[in-house]
Amino acid sequence: MDEKRSVIIVDDDVSLLDIIATGLSTHGYRCETAADAETAFEIINKNSFDIMLTDIILPGMDGFELTAKAKRLRSDMLVIIMTGFAEDFSYDRAIEAGASDFIKKPFTLQELIIRFQLVKLQKKLLKMSFTDELTGLYNRRGFFTLAEQQLKLSDRLKNLIYMLFADLDNLKGINDSLGHHEGDQALIETAKILKDTFRQSDIIARIGGDEFVVIPIGSTEYGARIAVSRLYQNIEVQNAKKKKNYTLSLSVGLAYYDPAAPCSVDELICRADKSMYEQKRQKQK
């Protein structure tokens, strides 16, 4: 399935599903349909989609809950929520769940396609403003935007969120002795290792000169620690691949957000930073 032209449509009105899917298919979209949220989530778990179009009122899990759950699994997927009750619609809740836009029923096919084009354009512009030019990871602005959304989801779903804070050891030494070009290459290599270690759905960012953060979506403490071990192994593999004038080394700290004792993104970063510096001190002993 072409992810860039693929849509999953979720509504308990089967006749409406057929109408929308048929109309979108004539415009080159590949469509899957589901009459309830549980079925939709099973499909999303197996396949990637460019866009999810979902009604709010569904059997069992509602459209907001489906959106939040699906975005945790497929963070890049755009979501447009359909509603026949615009006067009672909570735009804040839709955005908090991870939706990009909403459309009021009834709507025309042309209106729907225009909404698709607009949310794709918004996504492209956001990616440009949220991306670190050197590494291609999220930048500080992008990270804080996504992290704050994850904290809100944690408050709603009552689950813990883990954060890794990583510092590239001796970047200043590389810059001073080998030049900033080599320092940039070390940062690019580190970013690639992070992307290879974590999943596409995880939030990976460079928030400072030599500082990286990762939120592994849906991870447990055990899973987060396993990921850290895998990260160290991947660094060793990279160092062994080729002879360079420098050796990559990371110090990593771990912290978690507990909705029972909420804190800000800044406070969470500070906790992970302290954990990272403790590890750095242990290395120097």
Side-chain angles (χ1 to χ4, degrees):
M1 182 178 289
D2 180 0
E3 185 183 339
K4 297 304 179 187
R5 298 281 291 178
S6 59
V7 182
I8 180 166
I9 312 158
V10 192
D11 199 302
D12 59 353
D13 185 339
V14 178
S15 61
L16 181 62
L17 285 179
D18 290 340
I19 291 169
I20 296 174
T22 300
L24 289 175
S25 296
T26 64
H27 284 75
Y29 287 90
R30 297 176 181 271
C31 300
E32 290 271 359
T33 61
D36 61 79
E38 285 77 11
T39 302
F41 187 75
E42 289 176 8
I43 296 171
I44 293 166
N45 191 37
K46 296 175 183 177
N47 300 284
S48 295
F49 293 91
D50 187 24
I51 297 173
M52 179 173 75
L53 178 67
T54 180
D55 194 23
I56 296 175
I57 301 173
L58 297 167
M61 191 191 321
D62 68 22
F64 291 130
E65 294 173 291
L66 171 61
T67 298
K69 194 172 179 181
K71 288 290 285 186
R72 290 172 66 83
L73 185 66
R74 306 285 185 188
S75 61
D76 285 343
M77 183 176 66
L78 296 166
V79 178
I80 297 176
I81 291 179
M82 299 181 284
T83 177
F85 307 95
E87 61 277 5
D88 298 324
F89 179 75
S90 171
Y91 187 74
D92 287 343
R93 188 177 174 197
I95 296 302
E96 184 178 312
S100 299
D101 200 356
F102 80 98
I103 189 167
K104 182 182 177 181
K105 294 179 178 178
F107 51 81
T108 66
L109 180 62
Q110 189 60 35
E111 182 184 357
L112 180 61
I113 290 173
I114 289 172
R115 292 295 180 101
F116 283 4
Q117 292 169 344
L118 286 174
V119 294
K120 285 183 177 183
L121 177 59
Q122 290 169 356
K123 180 181 178 180
K124 183 178 180 180
L125 293 174
L126 280 173
K127 185 175 182 181
M128 290 171 63
S129 65
F130 283 0
T131 301
D132 176 56
E133 291 185 10
L134 179 66
T135 64
L137 302 178
Y138 288 114
N139 58 19
R140 187 177 185 87
R141 178 183 179 187
F143 175 76
F144 269 76
T145 300
L146 295 172
E148 285 168 1
Q149 184 183 64
Q150 289 300 314
L151 265 55
K152 288 178 182 177
L153 282 173
S154 173
D155 291 336
R156 183 177 294 279
L157 300 175
K158 308 302 180 187
N159 62 310
L160 299 181
I161 290 178
Y162 290 87
M163 176 187 289
L164 282 67
F165 188 101
D167 181 88
L168 178 58
D169 298 327
N170 197 36
L171 178 61
K172 185 178 184 303
I174 296 173
N175 284 331
D176 290 347
S177 61
L178 302 173
H180 285 274
H181 175 74
E182 288 296 299
D184 286 349
Q185 289 305 306
L187 290 167
I188 292 168
E189 278 188 71
T190 301
K192 184 180 183 306
I193 292 169
L194 287 167
K195 285 188 281 190
D196 290 343
T197 301
F198 295 92
R199 300 164 299 178
Q200 187 177 2
S201 59
D202 295 332
I203 300 171
I204 312 170
R206 178 189 175 210
I207 61 169
D210 57 0
E211 297 172 344
F212 298 84
V213 285
V214 181
I215 294 180
I217 303 298
S219 182
T220 62
E221 180 179 1
Y222 176 76
R225 294 193 182 281
I226 289 293
V228 172
S229 297
R230 189 166 62 244
L231 175 60
Y232 285 139
Q233 290 171 1
N234 289 343
I235 290 170
E236 289 179 6
V237 169
Q238 179 65 18
N239 283 329
K241 274 184 180 179
K242 58 180 181 179
K243 292 183 178 180
K244 307 184 287 292
N245 294 322
Y246 58 85
T247 299
L248 288 179
S249 175
L250 283 180
S251 297
V252 182
L254 182 64
Y256 66 90
Y257 175 83
D258 185 350
C263 68
S264 68
V265 176
D266 274 317
E267 289 172 320
L268 189 59
I269 288 176
C270 284
R271 294 176 191 173
D273 188 27
K274 288 179 181 177
S275 174
M276 181 275 296
Y277 270 107
E278 178 57 35
Q279 204 228 12
K280 195 179 283 282
R281 282 194 293 269
Q282 292 296 325
K283 280 185 179 180
Q284 294 170 351
K285 287 183 178 179

